[in-house]
């Protein structure tokens, strides 16, 4: 949706948090932190290590000290960045995230199960920026993967700009995972295992979407966290799909 909003000149990747009026509850953002750009947030390189809604225990334990890294200089998988991006999107476009996704993406590509009511905001006292949680079937998630596999095009309709698909799935950062880089909200996968330009989305509890364009391969896994609140470890799923990718010419 960011790619669409940018193409409509509603969001500019070079804008800073200061220009956008983004702050948070105490401890408020410093002048240096407010120099982070929208692009920094998309790359998880804001240098802002404020507490955030919907953080896991692992995120809290690994969070760097406040002010320890400047904007753009350090990668850290950070819910604050992602949640603030949601706030920026809502303010810049005037659209609700879930309504926007439903109208701009889900309906045009024929998602059968998703509606705007399948999203919810998670608000916590630690931050003014809520998390935005999607509940999606494996089928609908696979359709979203197919949209990216085909460069943002659905039949004759260009839903997401192809340039944005390429830009957002390019690796810009080394991460704390030996087998993954990071683009704009997408993990990138090593070409020796997955072919060139492969990428992945990874959600809490074992939600996964893998797209390997050179192999025309999409794989999705969803977990019902109401029935299994502790989630499912993703290691076996990744090993299985990696074998499928290796066997696919």
């Amino acid at each position: 949706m960011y790619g669409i909003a940018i193409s409509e000149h509603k969001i500019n990747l070079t804008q800073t948090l200061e220009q956008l009026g983004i702050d948070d509850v105490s401890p408020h953002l410093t002048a240096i932190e407010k120099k982070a750009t929208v692009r920094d947030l998309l790359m998880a390189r804001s240098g802002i290590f404020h507490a955030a809604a919907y953080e896991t225990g692992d995120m809290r334990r690994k969070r760097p000290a406040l002010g320890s890294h400047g904007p753009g200089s350090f990668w850290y998988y950070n819910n604050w960045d992602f949640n603030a991006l949601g706030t920026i999107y809502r303010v810049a476009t005037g659209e609700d995230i879930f309504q926007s996704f439903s109208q701009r993406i889900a309906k045009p590509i024929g998602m059968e199960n998703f509606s705007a009511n399948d999203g919810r905001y998670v608000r916590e006292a630690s931050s003014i920026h809520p998390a935005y949680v999607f509940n999606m079937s494996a089928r609908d998630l696979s359709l979203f993967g197919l949209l990216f596999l085909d460069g943002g095009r659905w039949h004759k309709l260009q839903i997401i700009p192809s340039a944005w698909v390429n830009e957002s799935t390019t690796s810009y950062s080394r991460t704390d995972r030996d087998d993954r880089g990071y683009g704009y909200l997408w993990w990138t996968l090593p070409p020796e295992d997955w072919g060139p330009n492969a990428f992945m989305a990874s959600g809490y509890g074992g939600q996964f979407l893998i797209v390997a364009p050179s192999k025309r391969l999409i794989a999705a896994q969803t977990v019902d966290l109401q029935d299994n609140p502790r989630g499912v470890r993703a290691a076996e799923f990744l090993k299985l799909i990696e074998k499928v990718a290796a066997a696919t010419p």
Side-chain angles (χ1 to χ4, degrees), residues 183-199:
Y184 295 167
L185 307 181
W186 288 99
W187 298 89
T188 60
L189 298 170
E192 60 270 22
D193 297 325
W194 298 92
N197 307 315
F199 50 94

Side-chain angles (χ1 to χ4, degrees), residues 127-141:
S127 174
I128 62 173
H129 305 292
Y132 39 99
V133 180
F134 283 74
N135 183 18
M136 191 175 294
S137 68
R139 179 191 181 279
D140 286 351
L141 186 59

Side-chain angles (χ1 to χ4, degrees), residues 64-243:
L66 293 172
S68 57
H69 301 278
S73 67
F74 183 78
W75 179 90
Y76 169 64
Y77 191 79
N78 186 356
N79 265 24
W80 193 93
D81 289 6
F82 311 145
N83 297 349
L85 284 168
T87 298
I88 292 168
Y89 181 89
R90 294 195 307 274
V91 172
T93 65
E95 299 175 9
D96 173 78
I97 289 173
F98 305 112
Q99 289 286 351
S100 185
F101 184 85
S102 177
Q103 294 296 323
R104 291 179 174 272
I105 295 177
K107 290 182 179 179
I109 70 174
M111 287 188 178
E112 292 184 349
N113 307 117
F114 182 82
S115 75
N117 294 328
D118 292 316
R120 64 186 176 92
Y121 294 101
V122 178
R123 293 177 169 84
E124 298 180 14
S126 59
S127 174
I128 62 173
H129 305 292
Y132 39 99
V133 180
F134 283 74
N135 183 18
M136 191 175 294
S137 68
R139 179 191 181 279
D140 286 351
L141 186 59
S142 296
L143 290 179
F144 185 68
L146 182 58
L147 177 64
F148 266 75
L149 181 70
D150 288 335
R153 190 172 183 84
W154 195 261
H155 301 299
K156 296 182 179 181
L157 182 63
Q158 191 72 43
I159 293 175
I160 301 171
S162 60
W164 179 257
V165 172
N166 293 332
E167 184 177 351
S168 62
T169 59
T170 296
S171 182
Y172 303 107
S173 304
R174 296 182 65 181
T175 73
D176 57 358
R177 309 294 178 89
D178 292 337
D179 61 343
R180 302 177 206 173
Y182 203 75
Y184 295 167
L185 307 181
W186 288 99
W187 298 89
T188 60
L189 298 170
E192 60 270 22
D193 297 325
W194 298 92
N197 307 315
F199 50 94
M200 175 182 74
S202 173
Y204 176 71
Q207 325 292 341
F208 267 93
L209 174 63
I210 295 172
V211 181
S214 68
K215 299 175 181 294
R216 298 293 298 174
L217 174 66
I218 300 165
Q221 172 178 282
T222 60
V223 178
D224 188 338
L225 295 175
Q226 289 186 339
D227 288 343
N228 190 348
R230 301 184 68 177
V232 174
R233 292 183 61 84
E236 294 305 316
F237 173 75
L238 282 173
K239 288 179 182 178
L240 172 63
I241 304 305
E242 188 172 335
K243 289 179 180 178

